[in-house]
Amino acid sequence: MSDIRRTSVWAAAAVVLLALPFYLDRFWLQAGLFAMAAAIGAIGINLLTGATGQLSMGHAFFLAVGAYGYCVLAGDGGDGLTGLGLPTWLAAALAVALAGLAGGVFSPIAGRLRGAYLGIATLALIFIGQHVLFNAHDLTGGSNGRDVPPLSLFGLTFDEREAVVAAVPFGSAEKLWYAGLVLLLACGLFARGVLRGRPGRAMNAIRDHRVAAGVIGVPVARYRAGVFVLSSMYAGLAGVLLALVFQRTVPDYFGMTLSLEYLAMIVIGGLGSVSGAVAGAALVSLLPQLLTRYSDALPLVSAPGAGGISPGEASRYLYGAAVVAVVLFLPGGLVRITARRSKPTPGTARTPGETA
């Protein structure tokens, strides 16, 4: 694909995304926001697992740290739960830093373990996190969860109070849509810069051959620990955005299933690719919502308790099958399809801006 055509596609996509809040109803905006939050978290775990080769089963733990950290730091204690009452923009930034700190505490372990051993160690974070979320009632609200304070930034509050733009009322979903786009763009560009620069080459060397990377001078333990912290911060930011969209945090959401979904996202989309992480996150996060929306028109799929397969179960079957299909027939993930289309055919001359 030529540079001009690629730029045109990205420009058209940007215009469409910016215009969507003027035309879509709340369901589709929330679905898109869930996909944005999932994409941010998927980019983080793709840096860790796809680019560096560190298997993490505890990504949901760091999302929970971000989501609940924001609630505790921004809450005013009016609901009887612990809250520090910080400005919400500061609470969001500190919640992301708190998730990074949690990753930093675990990073010495991450720097020394690999493969299934690291996966088992990170799996323990899920059990620890679930125990804390259900039992630290003053902080988390227990099984009932706690309300999420709306974000305020530059005098704009992302709550249900309507702001009219071009005769279109903007509620919390419309406002958060643009905040989510900015965050996703910033996270994607930063991760892409990391992967294309010297750190990315070092990460790939560690993934492909850890001993050889050490021999040529790559500080393996330091890189593995650093990427774990960065991945945790991405997860923390995704957790904050999810909390703002949900408007309530509940412990059940941040369990093992969520971590498995994130692994499915990066496998389906493409390991080690930012665009692949976004594509996989969109597929895995939107599928259950679409099945729920159209369950009445789909065979075998029905509302929970109605006798058929629930939308949540059906979505897990489908993206589980997608993982198997990708592993068997498309090892590079969905991003491999676009790469094949953009690759020049044999005998075709390349323009100076094109690469193989």
Side-chain angles (χ1 to χ4, degrees):
M1 183 183 293
S2 68
D3 289 342
I4 295 177
R5 184 181 175 187
R6 186 182 293 109
T7 302
S8 300
V9 169
W10 281 109
V15 171
V16 170
L17 290 173
L18 290 173
L20 284 179
F22 291 91
Y23 301 99
L24 297 183
D25 60 23
R26 186 179 180 86
F27 169 82
W28 293 108
L29 290 176
Q30 283 194 327
L33 283 166
F34 290 144
M36 291 180 199
I40 292 172
I43 292 171
I45 196 172
N46 218 358
L47 290 172
L48 183 68
T49 301
T52 318
Q54 295 176 269
L55 176 63
S56 174
M57 298 287 290
H59 209 56
F61 170 82
F62 299 104
L63 271 88
V65 172
Y68 279 95
Y70 171 77
C71 293
V72 172
L73 293 168
D76 59 6
D79 52 2
L81 302 176
T82 301
L84 300 183
L86 297 178
T88 52
W89 62 268
L90 179 60
L94 291 178
V96 175
L98 186 63
L101 179 62
V105 171
F106 191 81
S107 63
I109 299 174
R112 289 166 173 78
L113 296 179
R114 65 182 188 275
Y117 297 103
L118 179 59
I120 293 170
T122 54
L123 186 61
L125 293 174
I126 296 294
F127 297 111
I128 295 171
Q130 288 288 288
H131 178 78
V132 172
L133 293 181
F134 278 105
N135 293 283
H137 188 274
D138 289 342
L139 289 175
T140 67
S143 58
N144 293 324
R146 63 181 295 166
D147 292 328
V148 180
L151 178 67
S152 294
L153 185 64
F154 302 127
L156 177 65
T157 302
F158 295 80
D159 58 7
E160 293 298 340
R161 286 179 290 181
E162 291 184 349
V164 180
V165 178
V168 177
F170 272 44
S172 63
E174 289 82 1
K175 299 172 191 175
L176 282 172
W177 178 271
Y178 293 109
L181 283 179
V182 171
L183 291 174
L184 178 56
L185 178 62
C187 290
L189 291 177
F190 181 81
R192 190 175 184 182
V194 169
L195 291 174
R196 290 191 170 188
R198 183 177 178 180
R201 292 191 292 272
M203 290 156 59
N204 291 335
I206 294 170
R207 177 197 62 198
D208 295 336
H209 203 298
R210 182 178 59 90
V211 175
V215 170
I216 63 175
V218 176
V220 175
R222 188 190 309 166
Y223 263 98
R224 287 164 64 94
V227 174
F228 200 93
V229 171
L230 181 60
S231 174
S232 302
M233 295 180 72
Y234 269 83
L237 180 58
V240 172
L241 184 56
L242 273 175
L244 292 171
V245 177
F246 273 123
Q247 299 181 353
R248 187 170 186 84
T249 55
V250 289
D252 287 327
Y253 182 75
F254 301 99
M256 191 186 305
T257 300
L258 183 61
S259 287
L260 293 176
E261 287 178 355
Y262 272 101
L263 291 176
M265 291 175 194
I266 62 174
V267 172
I268 293 172
L271 293 173
S273 166
V274 173
S275 56
V278 175
L283 175 64
V284 173
S285 62
L286 291 177
L287 191 57
Q289 298 178 71
L290 293 175
L291 292 178
T292 301
R293 178 86 167 190
Y294 299 108
S295 59
D296 293 339
L298 296 173
L300 303 178
V301 179
S302 61
I309 303 174
S310 70
E313 286 184 73
S315 64
R316 285 191 283 272
Y317 294 149
L318 288 175
Y319 67 69
V323 169
V324 175
V326 164
V327 171
L328 292 178
F329 306 111
L330 196 65
L334 295 176
V335 73
R336 186 74 175 271
I337 299 175
T338 58
R340 286 177 177 175
R341 288 181 177 177
S342 62
K343 186 176 180 179
T345 56
T348 302
R350 298 189 185 101
T351 62
E354 286 183 315
T355 58

